[in-house]
Amino acid sequence: MKRKKLFIRDLLDQTRDINLQLELLAGEQGLDKEIVSGDVNRPGLSLAGFFDFFAYGRIQVFGLGETAYMRKLPDDQMKEMLETFFTYDVFCCIFTHDVRPNDIFMQLANSKNIPTFVTKFRTTRFVSLWTHAVEEYFSEEMTIHGSLVDVFGVGVLLLGKSGVGKSECALELLEKGHRLVADDVVEIQKIDELFLFGTSAEIIKHHMEIRGLGILNVREIYGIGSVRNRKRIDLIIMLEEWDEGREYDRLGIDEQKYTILDIDLSYIIVPVRPGRNIPVLVETAALNHRLKKMGTYSARELDLKIQDIVKKE
Amino acid sequence: MVEDIVYINSDAGVHARPAMMLVRTAMKYPCEVYFIKDDIEANAKSIMGVLALAITKGSKLIIRAHGGNEEEAVRELISLIENDFKEGEN
């Protein structure tokens, strides 16, 4: 799987989902370095002269402790300390709490081309935002053939063979006011070992192909309310040609699971046949999924009621 | 399963029209056909899938097919690409 690449320069992009509010102070020449890990390092110990296990390849987060320590050192000692610090190939430095580094630090960072930023965030807040902002670049990924639609807030992934009507179903759901995330090609990411998030391949984002109509720009036709960029996948619906020989679920008491990237998701097989209104079935399945998540299990409850009546008689 | 490698020569890469020609060609065969570029796999029978690969001049493309008429499918797709998407010249 090809991984999207993340460069230090990208962190300055104000349009990203998570704005780290970074201001570049020094080391502009180093902005094109690729970020290969989401780990961070607090360089306190290194500043104090202990360089064993110094994780210089990570981003270095200077909090109030680090800056206070540097302020306390006499200039000559600080210069010596920072020169040693910068003999390592330090990846990037970030100062939190809007506290700016001293001139000696700035000069060294500039001469070594080490990108140095300041942010208004507190250190813990910054680290948590950072982890969140970069995790999608370091998570497990795969691409799947299907359509992802946000139906009443439930991320529904429609699967099925070519030509079974996934896109047509997605189109009708859009028409009903639901939102398209991706059509045909869904890029799936595993987040926190718990969730799967789907997005569209960037180049075909917000587009879909409907046989007979060709390629449509959904965002232009239905408006900005009809699309979203990313959605957690909650429910998988497999569209299948109706097979007379097959037994379809008539009760819905047991929940079936479909596994993607080692994560189990609720799974429903919906047989397709002329006269069946698939988008309505998908909507109802999404609502029923929400109901279950909120603790109401229609099939099981009806079953309990019937068992109760049977016992009384 | 049949697999072959082809390099894209046409200056414009695989934009909408060539993508459609590839899909149309793949659709003629019952086998499953996949294009693989930079380890990303796309269903060759899906326009959006092929466009999502963003195939440009010089791209290396692996064509993989399994199922009925797999040999012919791969052969025809390769000849289409090698002829720079000029139909009817192979």
Side-chain angles (χ1 to χ4, degrees), chain B residues 8-65:
Chain B
I8 308 301
N9 256 323
S10 86
D11 285 324
V14 177
H15 55 97
R17 262 170 222 292
M20 181 203 68
M21 289 162 77
L22 289 171
V23 171
R24 204 178 265 168
T25 308
M27 293 285 276
K28 291 201 292 194
Y29 298 95
C31 53
E32 286 188 38
V33 190
Y34 294 95
F35 294 141
I36 299 133
K37 187 200 144 201
D38 298 337
D39 294 331
I40 301 183
E41 192 180 271
N43 187 337
K45 296 185 181 183
S46 144
I47 282 267
M48 300 311 267
V50 175
L51 287 175
L53 286 181
I55 305 165
T56 50
K57 183 176 171 141
S59 290
K60 173 188 168 188
L61 198 64
I62 301 168
I63 302 178
R64 182 184 294 158

Short mmCIF file of all heavy atoms in Angstrom, two decimals, chain B residues 8-65:
data_model
loop_
_atom_site.label_atom_id
_atom_site.label_comp_id
_atom_site.label_asym_id
_atom_site.label_seq_id
_atom_site.Cartn_x
_atom_site.Cartn_y
_atom_site.Cartn_z
N ILE B 8 3.37 3.43 -19.66
CA ILE B 8 2.50 4.35 -20.38
C ILE B 8 3.35 5.33 -21.18
O ILE B 8 4.24 5.98 -20.63
CB ILE B 8 1.60 5.14 -19.41
CG1 ILE B 8 0.88 4.19 -18.45
CG2 ILE B 8 0.61 6.02 -20.17
CD1 ILE B 8 0.00 3.16 -19.09
N ASN B 9 3.06 5.43 -22.46
CA ASN B 9 3.87 6.27 -23.33
C ASN B 9 3.18 7.56 -23.74
O ASN B 9 3.83 8.51 -24.15
CB ASN B 9 4.19 5.49 -24.61
CG ASN B 9 5.62 5.03 -24.58
OD1 ASN B 9 6.48 5.76 -24.08
ND2 ASN B 9 5.87 3.83 -25.07
N SER B 10 1.85 7.54 -23.67
CA SER B 10 1.14 8.69 -24.23
C SER B 10 1.35 9.91 -23.34
O SER B 10 1.34 9.83 -22.11
CB SER B 10 -0.34 8.37 -24.41
OG SER B 10 -1.03 8.63 -23.23
N ASP B 11 1.57 11.08 -23.98
CA ASP B 11 1.93 12.30 -23.27
C ASP B 11 0.89 12.72 -22.25
O ASP B 11 1.23 13.22 -21.18
CB ASP B 11 2.14 13.44 -24.28
CG ASP B 11 3.45 13.27 -25.02
OD1 ASP B 11 4.41 12.80 -24.38
OD2 ASP B 11 3.52 13.59 -26.23
N ALA B 12 -0.38 12.53 -22.60
CA ALA B 12 -1.44 13.02 -21.73
C ALA B 12 -1.73 12.06 -20.58
O ALA B 12 -2.56 12.35 -19.73
CB ALA B 12 -2.70 13.26 -22.54
N GLY B 13 -1.05 10.92 -20.55
CA GLY B 13 -1.33 9.93 -19.51
C GLY B 13 -2.71 9.32 -19.71
O GLY B 13 -3.30 9.44 -20.78
N VAL B 14 -3.23 8.70 -18.67
CA VAL B 14 -4.56 8.10 -18.80
C VAL B 14 -5.59 9.06 -18.23
O VAL B 14 -5.90 9.04 -17.05
CB VAL B 14 -4.61 6.72 -18.11
CG1 VAL B 14 -6.01 6.13 -18.19
CG2 VAL B 14 -3.61 5.77 -18.75
N HIS B 15 -6.09 9.96 -19.06
CA HIS B 15 -7.17 10.86 -18.65
C HIS B 15 -8.49 10.16 -18.95
O HIS B 15 -8.53 8.96 -19.21
CB HIS B 15 -7.02 12.24 -19.30
CG HIS B 15 -6.95 12.19 -20.80
ND1 HIS B 15 -8.04 12.38 -21.59
CD2 HIS B 15 -5.91 11.93 -21.63
CE1 HIS B 15 -7.67 12.26 -22.87
NE2 HIS B 15 -6.38 11.98 -22.90
N ALA B 16 -9.58 10.93 -18.91
CA ALA B 16 -10.91 10.31 -18.96
C ALA B 16 -11.11 9.37 -20.17
O ALA B 16 -11.53 8.24 -20.01
CB ALA B 16 -11.99 11.39 -18.92
N ARG B 17 -10.78 9.86 -21.37
CA ARG B 17 -11.07 9.04 -22.55
C ARG B 17 -10.27 7.73 -22.59
O ARG B 17 -10.85 6.65 -22.76
CB ARG B 17 -10.86 9.83 -23.83
CG ARG B 17 -12.15 10.37 -24.35
CD ARG B 17 -11.98 11.35 -25.48
NE ARG B 17 -12.89 12.45 -25.28
CZ ARG B 17 -14.21 12.35 -25.38
NH1 ARG B 17 -14.77 11.20 -25.67
NH2 ARG B 17 -14.97 13.38 -25.17
N PRO B 18 -8.96 7.81 -22.44
CA PRO B 18 -8.22 6.54 -22.41
C PRO B 18 -8.70 5.62 -21.28
O PRO B 18 -8.76 4.40 -21.45
CB PRO B 18 -6.78 6.96 -22.17
CG PRO B 18 -6.71 8.39 -22.57
CD PRO B 18 -8.06 8.97 -22.37
N ALA B 19 -9.07 6.21 -20.15
CA ALA B 19 -9.57 5.40 -19.03
C ALA B 19 -10.81 4.64 -19.46
O ALA B 19 -10.97 3.44 -19.20
CB ALA B 19 -9.87 6.28 -17.81
N MET B 20 -11.68 5.37 -20.17
CA MET B 20 -12.91 4.73 -20.64
C MET B 20 -12.58 3.58 -21.60
O MET B 20 -13.20 2.52 -21.55
CB MET B 20 -13.79 5.76 -21.33
CG MET B 20 -15.09 5.21 -21.84
SD MET B 20 -15.76 6.22 -23.17
CE MET B 20 -14.57 5.93 -24.47
N MET B 21 -11.58 3.82 -22.47
CA MET B 21 -11.23 2.76 -23.43
C MET B 21 -10.69 1.52 -22.71
O MET B 21 -11.00 0.38 -23.08
CB MET B 21 -10.21 3.29 -24.44
CG MET B 21 -10.87 4.29 -25.40
SD MET B 21 -9.67 5.31 -26.25
CE MET B 21 -9.11 4.16 -27.46
N LEU B 22 -9.89 1.76 -21.66
CA LEU B 22 -9.37 0.62 -20.89
C LEU B 22 -10.53 -0.14 -20.22
O LEU B 22 -10.58 -1.36 -20.26
CB LEU B 22 -8.39 1.12 -19.82
CG LEU B 22 -7.04 1.63 -20.32
CD1 LEU B 22 -6.26 2.29 -19.19
CD2 LEU B 22 -6.22 0.48 -20.93
N VAL B 23 -11.44 0.62 -19.62
CA VAL B 23 -12.56 -0.02 -18.91
C VAL B 23 -13.42 -0.79 -19.90
O VAL B 23 -13.79 -1.94 -19.66
CB VAL B 23 -13.41 1.04 -18.18
CG1 VAL B 23 -14.69 0.43 -17.64
CG2 VAL B 23 -12.61 1.65 -17.04
N ARG B 24 -13.69 -0.17 -21.05
CA ARG B 24 -14.52 -0.81 -22.06
C ARG B 24 -13.88 -2.12 -22.53
O ARG B 24 -14.55 -3.13 -22.71
CB ARG B 24 -14.70 0.15 -23.24
CG ARG B 24 -15.93 -0.12 -24.04
CD ARG B 24 -16.06 0.89 -25.13
NE ARG B 24 -16.92 2.00 -24.75
CZ ARG B 24 -16.99 3.13 -25.46
NH1 ARG B 24 -16.24 3.32 -26.53
NH2 ARG B 24 -17.82 4.07 -25.09
N THR B 25 -12.58 -2.06 -22.71
CA THR B 25 -11.87 -3.27 -23.15
C THR B 25 -11.93 -4.35 -22.07
O THR B 25 -12.22 -5.51 -22.36
CB THR B 25 -10.40 -2.92 -23.48
OG1 THR B 25 -10.40 -1.83 -24.38
CG2 THR B 25 -9.68 -4.10 -24.10
N ALA B 26 -11.68 -3.95 -20.83
CA ALA B 26 -11.70 -4.93 -19.73
C ALA B 26 -13.08 -5.55 -19.58
O ALA B 26 -13.22 -6.75 -19.30
CB ALA B 26 -11.27 -4.26 -18.43
N MET B 27 -14.12 -4.72 -19.81
CA MET B 27 -15.51 -5.19 -19.64
C MET B 27 -15.88 -6.29 -20.64
O MET B 27 -16.82 -7.04 -20.41
CB MET B 27 -16.50 -4.03 -19.83
CG MET B 27 -16.46 -2.96 -18.77
SD MET B 27 -17.22 -3.44 -17.23
CE MET B 27 -18.91 -3.08 -17.58
N LYS B 28 -15.14 -6.33 -21.76
CA LYS B 28 -15.48 -7.33 -22.78
C LYS B 28 -15.22 -8.75 -22.29
O LYS B 28 -15.72 -9.71 -22.85
CB LYS B 28 -14.63 -7.10 -24.05
CG LYS B 28 -15.00 -5.82 -24.78
CD LYS B 28 -14.55 -5.86 -26.24
CE LYS B 28 -13.05 -5.84 -26.36
NZ LYS B 28 -12.57 -5.54 -27.72
N TYR B 29 -14.37 -8.87 -21.26
CA TYR B 29 -13.96 -10.21 -20.82
C TYR B 29 -14.60 -10.58 -19.49
O TYR B 29 -14.81 -9.72 -18.63
CB TYR B 29 -12.43 -10.25 -20.71
CG TYR B 29 -11.77 -10.00 -22.05
CD1 TYR B 29 -11.34 -8.73 -22.40
CD2 TYR B 29 -11.62 -11.04 -22.97
CE1 TYR B 29 -10.76 -8.49 -23.63
CE2 TYR B 29 -11.03 -10.81 -24.21
CZ TYR B 29 -10.61 -9.54 -24.54
OH TYR B 29 -10.05 -9.31 -25.76
N PRO B 30 -14.90 -11.85 -19.32
CA PRO B 30 -15.55 -12.26 -18.07
C PRO B 30 -14.60 -12.26 -16.86
O PRO B 30 -15.04 -12.23 -15.73
CB PRO B 30 -16.03 -13.68 -18.38
CG PRO B 30 -15.18 -14.16 -19.50
CD PRO B 30 -14.80 -12.94 -20.30
N CYS B 31 -13.29 -12.29 -17.11
CA CYS B 31 -12.35 -12.40 -15.99
C CYS B 31 -12.30 -11.11 -15.17
O CYS B 31 -12.73 -10.06 -15.62
CB CYS B 31 -10.95 -12.71 -16.53
SG CYS B 31 -10.41 -11.56 -17.78
N GLU B 32 -11.77 -11.23 -13.96
CA GLU B 32 -11.53 -10.04 -13.16
C GLU B 32 -10.21 -9.44 -13.57
O GLU B 32 -9.22 -10.16 -13.74
CB GLU B 32 -11.47 -10.41 -11.67
CG GLU B 32 -12.83 -10.73 -11.10
CD GLU B 32 -12.77 -10.90 -9.60
OE1 GLU B 32 -12.01 -10.16 -8.95
OE2 GLU B 32 -13.48 -11.79 -9.11
N VAL B 33 -10.18 -8.14 -13.78
CA VAL B 33 -8.95 -7.49 -14.23
C VAL B 33 -8.59 -6.37 -13.26
O VAL B 33 -9.46 -5.60 -12.83
CB VAL B 33 -9.10 -6.90 -15.65
CG1 VAL B 33 -7.73 -6.46 -16.19
CG2 VAL B 33 -9.74 -7.90 -16.60
N TYR B 34 -7.32 -6.30 -12.91
CA TYR B 34 -6.86 -5.24 -12.01
C TYR B 34 -5.67 -4.52 -12.61
O TYR B 34 -4.83 -5.13 -13.26
CB TYR B 34 -6.46 -5.81 -10.65
CG TYR B 34 -7.65 -6.37 -9.92
CD1 TYR B 34 -7.95 -7.73 -9.99
CD2 TYR B 34 -8.48 -5.54 -9.18
CE1 TYR B 34 -9.06 -8.24 -9.35
CE2 TYR B 34 -9.59 -6.04 -8.53
CZ TYR B 34 -9.88 -7.39 -8.63
OH TYR B 34 -10.98 -7.89 -7.99
N PHE B 35 -5.62 -3.21 -12.40
CA PHE B 35 -4.43 -2.44 -12.73
C PHE B 35 -3.73 -2.14 -11.41
O PHE B 35 -4.39 -1.75 -10.44
CB PHE B 35 -4.79 -1.10 -13.40
CG PHE B 35 -5.42 -1.27 -14.75
CD1 PHE B 35 -6.46 -0.43 -15.15
CD2 PHE B 35 -4.96 -2.22 -15.64
CE1 PHE B 35 -7.05 -0.56 -16.40
CE2 PHE B 35 -5.54 -2.36 -16.90
CZ PHE B 35 -6.59 -1.53 -17.28
N ILE B 36 -2.42 -2.27 -11.42
CA ILE B 36 -1.68 -1.98 -10.20
C ILE B 36 -0.59 -0.97 -10.52
O ILE B 36 0.25 -1.19 -11.38
CB ILE B 36 -1.06 -3.26 -9.59
CG1 ILE B 36 -2.19 -4.23 -9.25
CG2 ILE B 36 -0.25 -2.94 -8.34
CD1 ILE B 36 -1.96 -5.62 -9.71
N LYS B 37 -0.67 0.16 -9.83
CA LYS B 37 0.36 1.20 -10.00
C LYS B 37 0.84 1.61 -8.61
O LYS B 37 0.02 1.91 -7.75
CB LYS B 37 -0.25 2.41 -10.72
CG LYS B 37 0.77 3.46 -11.08
CD LYS B 37 0.12 4.82 -11.33
CE LYS B 37 1.02 5.90 -10.82
NZ LYS B 37 0.31 7.14 -10.56
N ASP B 38 2.14 1.62 -8.41
CA ASP B 38 2.73 1.98 -7.11
C ASP B 38 2.06 1.22 -5.97
O ASP B 38 1.71 1.81 -4.94
CB ASP B 38 2.55 3.49 -6.82
CG ASP B 38 3.25 4.35 -7.83
OD1 ASP B 38 4.20 3.85 -8.46
OD2 ASP B 38 2.85 5.51 -8.00
N ASP B 39 1.85 -0.07 -6.16
CA ASP B 39 1.23 -0.92 -5.13
C ASP B 39 -0.23 -0.60 -4.86
O ASP B 39 -0.83 -1.13 -3.94
CB ASP B 39 1.98 -0.84 -3.78
CG ASP B 39 3.37 -1.44 -3.90
OD1 ASP B 39 3.52 -2.33 -4.74
OD2 ASP B 39 4.26 -0.99 -3.17
N ILE B 40 -0.83 0.31 -5.64
CA ILE B 40 -2.26 0.54 -5.47
C ILE B 40 -2.99 -0.23 -6.56
O ILE B 40 -2.61 -0.18 -7.72
CB ILE B 40 -2.61 2.04 -5.58
CG1 ILE B 40 -1.84 2.79 -4.50
CG2 ILE B 40 -4.11 2.27 -5.40
CD1 ILE B 40 -2.15 4.26 -4.48
N GLU B 41 -4.02 -0.95 -6.12
CA GLU B 41 -4.73 -1.81 -7.05
C GLU B 41 -6.08 -1.20 -7.39
O GLU B 41 -6.76 -0.69 -6.50
CB GLU B 41 -4.92 -3.16 -6.33
CG GLU B 41 -5.37 -4.26 -7.23
CD GLU B 41 -5.52 -5.54 -6.42
OE1 GLU B 41 -4.53 -6.28 -6.30
OE2 GLU B 41 -6.63 -5.81 -5.93
N ALA B 42 -6.44 -1.22 -8.66
CA ALA B 42 -7.75 -0.69 -9.03
C ALA B 42 -8.45 -1.70 -9.94
O ALA B 42 -7.82 -2.37 -10.75
CB ALA B 42 -7.61 0.64 -9.75
N ASN B 43 -9.75 -1.77 -9.78
CA ASN B 43 -10.57 -2.61 -10.63
C ASN B 43 -10.58 -2.02 -12.04
O ASN B 43 -11.00 -0.88 -12.23
CB ASN B 43 -11.98 -2.65 -10.04
CG ASN B 43 -12.86 -3.65 -10.75
OD1 ASN B 43 -12.61 -4.01 -11.90
ND2 ASN B 43 -13.89 -4.09 -10.06
N ALA B 44 -10.12 -2.77 -13.02
CA ALA B 44 -10.01 -2.26 -14.38
C ALA B 44 -11.37 -2.05 -15.03
O ALA B 44 -11.47 -1.45 -16.10
CB ALA B 44 -9.16 -3.20 -15.24
N LYS B 45 -12.43 -2.54 -14.39
CA LYS B 45 -13.76 -2.36 -14.96
C LYS B 45 -14.48 -1.17 -14.34
O LYS B 45 -15.66 -0.97 -14.55
CB LYS B 45 -14.59 -3.64 -14.75
CG LYS B 45 -13.97 -4.83 -15.50
CD LYS B 45 -14.81 -6.07 -15.42
CE LYS B 45 -14.10 -7.21 -16.18
NZ LYS B 45 -14.88 -8.42 -16.23
N SER B 46 -13.76 -0.40 -13.55
CA SER B 46 -14.35 0.77 -12.91
C SER B 46 -13.63 2.04 -13.38
O SER B 46 -12.43 2.20 -13.18
CB SER B 46 -14.24 0.63 -11.39
OG SER B 46 -14.00 1.86 -10.78
N ILE B 47 -14.39 2.94 -14.00
CA ILE B 47 -13.84 4.19 -14.50
C ILE B 47 -13.17 4.96 -13.35
O ILE B 47 -12.04 5.41 -13.45
CB ILE B 47 -14.95 5.08 -15.11
CG1 ILE B 47 -15.30 4.58 -16.50
CG2 ILE B 47 -14.55 6.53 -15.16
CD1 ILE B 47 -14.56 5.26 -17.62
N MET B 48 -13.91 5.10 -12.23
CA MET B 48 -13.38 5.87 -11.12
C MET B 48 -12.11 5.21 -10.57
O MET B 48 -11.17 5.89 -10.20
CB MET B 48 -14.43 6.00 -10.01
CG MET B 48 -15.68 6.69 -10.45
SD MET B 48 -15.37 8.23 -11.31
CE MET B 48 -15.46 9.37 -9.96
N GLY B 49 -12.11 3.89 -10.55
CA GLY B 49 -10.94 3.17 -10.07
C GLY B 49 -9.72 3.47 -10.91
O GLY B 49 -8.64 3.77 -10.40
N VAL B 50 -9.90 3.43 -12.24
CA VAL B 50 -8.78 3.66 -13.15
C VAL B 50 -8.32 5.12 -13.06
O VAL B 50 -7.12 5.40 -12.97
CB VAL B 50 -9.17 3.29 -14.60
CG1 VAL B 50 -8.05 3.65 -15.56
CG2 VAL B 50 -9.50 1.81 -14.71
N LEU B 51 -9.28 6.05 -12.99
CA LEU B 51 -8.91 7.47 -12.89
C LEU B 51 -8.17 7.74 -11.58
O LEU B 51 -7.24 8.55 -11.53
CB LEU B 51 -10.15 8.36 -12.97
CG LEU B 51 -10.80 8.47 -14.34
CD1 LEU B 51 -12.07 9.29 -14.26
CD2 LEU B 51 -9.85 9.09 -15.36
N ALA B 52 -8.60 7.05 -10.51
CA ALA B 52 -8.00 7.29 -9.19
C ALA B 52 -6.51 6.93 -9.17
O ALA B 52 -5.76 7.42 -8.35
CB ALA B 52 -8.74 6.51 -8.12
N LEU B 53 -6.10 6.07 -10.11
CA LEU B 53 -4.69 5.69 -10.13
C LEU B 53 -3.79 6.83 -10.60
O LEU B 53 -2.60 6.82 -10.37
CB LEU B 53 -4.48 4.49 -11.07
CG LEU B 53 -4.95 3.13 -10.56
CD1 LEU B 53 -4.65 2.07 -11.60
CD2 LEU B 53 -4.28 2.76 -9.25
N ALA B 54 -4.38 7.82 -11.27
CA ALA B 54 -3.62 8.96 -11.79
C ALA B 54 -2.40 8.48 -12.57
O ALA B 54 -1.27 8.74 -12.21
CB ALA B 54 -3.21 9.89 -10.64
N ILE B 55 -2.68 7.78 -13.65
CA ILE B 55 -1.60 7.20 -14.45
C ILE B 55 -1.04 8.26 -15.39
O ILE B 55 -1.77 8.86 -16.18
CB ILE B 55 -2.12 6.00 -15.27
CG1 ILE B 55 -2.78 4.97 -14.34
CG2 ILE B 55 -1.01 5.37 -16.08
CD1 ILE B 55 -3.64 3.95 -15.04
N THR B 56 0.24 8.54 -15.28
CA THR B 56 0.85 9.58 -16.11
C THR B 56 1.87 8.96 -17.06
O THR B 56 2.18 7.77 -16.96
CB THR B 56 1.59 10.61 -15.24
OG1 THR B 56 2.42 9.89 -14.34
CG2 THR B 56 0.60 11.44 -14.43
N LYS B 57 2.38 9.78 -17.97
CA LYS B 57 3.38 9.28 -18.91
C LYS B 57 4.57 8.71 -18.13
O LYS B 57 5.05 9.34 -17.19
CB LYS B 57 3.86 10.42 -19.81
CG LYS B 57 4.86 9.93 -20.85
CD LYS B 57 5.27 11.02 -21.81
CE LYS B 57 6.42 10.47 -22.64
NZ LYS B 57 6.37 10.86 -24.02
N GLY B 58 5.00 7.54 -18.51
CA GLY B 58 6.13 6.91 -17.83
C GLY B 58 5.73 6.01 -16.68
O GLY B 58 6.56 5.28 -16.15
N SER B 59 4.45 6.04 -16.29
CA SER B 59 3.99 5.18 -15.20
C SER B 59 4.18 3.71 -15.57
O SER B 59 3.95 3.31 -16.70
CB SER B 59 2.50 5.39 -14.91
OG SER B 59 2.27 6.63 -14.35
N LYS B 60 4.55 2.95 -14.55
CA LYS B 60 4.63 1.50 -14.74
C LYS B 60 3.33 0.89 -14.25
O LYS B 60 2.89 1.16 -13.14
CB LYS B 60 5.80 0.95 -13.92
CG LYS B 60 5.91 -0.55 -13.90
CD LYS B 60 6.98 -0.95 -12.91
CE LYS B 60 6.93 -2.45 -12.64
NZ LYS B 60 7.83 -2.83 -11.55
N LEU B 61 2.70 0.12 -15.12
CA LEU B 61 1.39 -0.43 -14.79
C LEU B 61 1.46 -1.96 -14.86
O LEU B 61 1.92 -2.52 -15.84
CB LEU B 61 0.37 0.11 -15.80
CG LEU B 61 -1.08 0.02 -15.45
CD1 LEU B 61 -1.38 0.87 -14.22
CD2 LEU B 61 -1.93 0.51 -16.62
N ILE B 62 1.00 -2.60 -13.80
CA ILE B 62 0.90 -4.05 -13.83
C ILE B 62 -0.56 -4.39 -14.14
O ILE B 62 -1.47 -3.82 -13.54
CB ILE B 62 1.30 -4.67 -12.48
CG1 ILE B 62 2.75 -4.29 -12.14
CG2 ILE B 62 1.13 -6.19 -12.50
CD1 ILE B 62 3.14 -4.62 -10.72
N ILE B 63 -0.76 -5.26 -15.09
CA ILE B 63 -2.12 -5.70 -15.42
C ILE B 63 -2.25 -7.14 -14.97
O ILE B 63 -1.43 -7.98 -15.34
CB ILE B 63 -2.39 -5.58 -16.93
CG1 ILE B 63 -2.18 -4.13 -17.38
CG2 ILE B 63 -3.82 -6.03 -17.25
CD1 ILE B 63 -2.38 -3.92 -18.87
N ARG B 64 -3.25 -7.39 -14.13
CA ARG B 64 -3.42 -8.73 -13.60
C ARG B 64 -4.85 -9.19 -13.88
O ARG B 64 -5.79 -8.43 -13.68
CB ARG B 64 -3.17 -8.72 -12.10
CG ARG B 64 -3.28 -10.08 -11.44
CD ARG B 64 -3.12 -9.96 -9.94
NE ARG B 64 -1.78 -9.53 -9.57
CZ ARG B 64 -1.48 -8.94 -8.41
NH1 ARG B 64 -2.43 -8.68 -7.54
NH2 ARG B 64 -0.25 -8.60 -8.14
N ALA B 65 -4.98 -10.40 -14.39
CA ALA B 65 -6.33 -10.90 -14.67
C ALA B 65 -6.44 -12.33 -14.19
O ALA B 65 -5.48 -13.09 -14.25
CB ALA B 65 -6.61 -10.82 -16.17
#
